[in-house]
Amino acid sequence: MKLQTKTGLTAGVVALAVFCGSQTSKAGVVVTNTAANPVPITAPSSIPVKAADNPAFQPYQFQDETGGVISPNGYYKTVSFDVPAGKRLVIEFVSILVYLDSGDNLQEAVVTVSKPGGGVITHSLTRTVTGPSNGCAACGTFTVTQPLRLYCEAGVGALKVQTQRVNSSGLYKTAFSVSGYLVDLP
């Protein structure tokens, strides 16, 4: 019985010391708080639920305004997009639709972005053959729709989307679009 009382008394003194007295951490810092002088705890008035709630993110969507230029001669079709000064573009999705004469092939689809300090980085995209077009039975249709996470620095023509075909003549109709968001730079 004496042992239980002594143990209960010791536990009570320790608890009292923890809640009301001084404590010394292993690092040697002394924290003194009493019920009359508690540690202040404040919580933010609102906590963003997701990164998209950040007001620094500004939606960005751009589509080739030419409506799919028909280029009867040439291997390449390139579209450039501008990124405003003081911003960085975060690219989340690229979509490309290409119509070619039957027998031609889409050899490559790439995205080229400006990087910090100058220079560029080129990323290859996955191409898919989708078959003849409804409006052109003799055409081959290719699509590139790919979720991404790429970063592009500010500048005129800072973002380039390009396709390359195998043949240099015949029908070559394209439509490009890019979406993501702009971030303010400090």
Side-chain angles (χ1 to χ4, degrees):
M1 183 78 170
K2 252 185 176 181
L3 183 58
Q4 283 180 336
T5 304
K6 198 173 191 180
T7 305
L9 183 60
T10 303
V13 170
V14 170
L16 185 60
V18 168
F19 290 109
C20 299
S22 295
Q23 294 285 323
T24 303
S25 74
K26 291 181 181 179
V29 176
V30 176
V31 179
T32 304
N33 293 92
T34 64
N37 184 22
V39 174
I41 298 174
T42 57
S45 59
S46 67
I47 299 172
V49 175
K50 56 187 176 197
D53 292 339
N54 187 333
F57 296 170
Q58 300 137 34
Y60 180 95
Q61 295 185 70
F62 197 89
Q63 185 171 6
D64 177 22
E65 295 297 326
T66 60
V69 173
I70 297 174
S71 306
N73 294 310
Y75 289 103
Y76 301 95
K77 173 63 177 152
T78 304
V79 175
S80 297
F81 301 92
D82 299 339
V83 178
K87 310 278 185 185
R88 175 175 291 135
L89 173 60
V90 178
I91 303 158
E92 294 185 307
F93 196 82
V94 172
S95 178
I96 305 170
L97 181 60
V98 179
Y99 298 104
L100 298 171
D101 278 339
S102 182
D104 202 350
N105 198 358
L106 181 63
Q107 185 169 339
E108 149 178 273
V110 298
V111 174
T112 302
V113 296
S114 296
K115 64 182 185 175
V120 296
I121 298 174
T122 300
H123 303 273
S124 294
L125 304 174
T126 303
R127 301 167 317 280
T128 304
V129 179
T130 54
S133 161
N134 289 340
C136 180
C139 297
T141 305
F142 300 83
T143 58
V144 177
T145 53
Q146 190 161 339
L148 304 165
R149 179 64 52 101
L150 303 177
Y151 305 94
C152 186
E153 298 305 304
V156 175
L159 168 63
K160 291 182 179 29
V161 182
Q162 181 179 35
T163 58
Q164 177 184 350
R165 65 181 178 165
V166 174
N167 299 325
S168 64
S169 62
L171 178 69
Y172 191 8
K173 185 175 180 181
T174 60
F176 299 91
S177 62
V178 174
S179 66
Y181 57 90
L182 295 166
V183 178
D184 293 328
L185 294 177

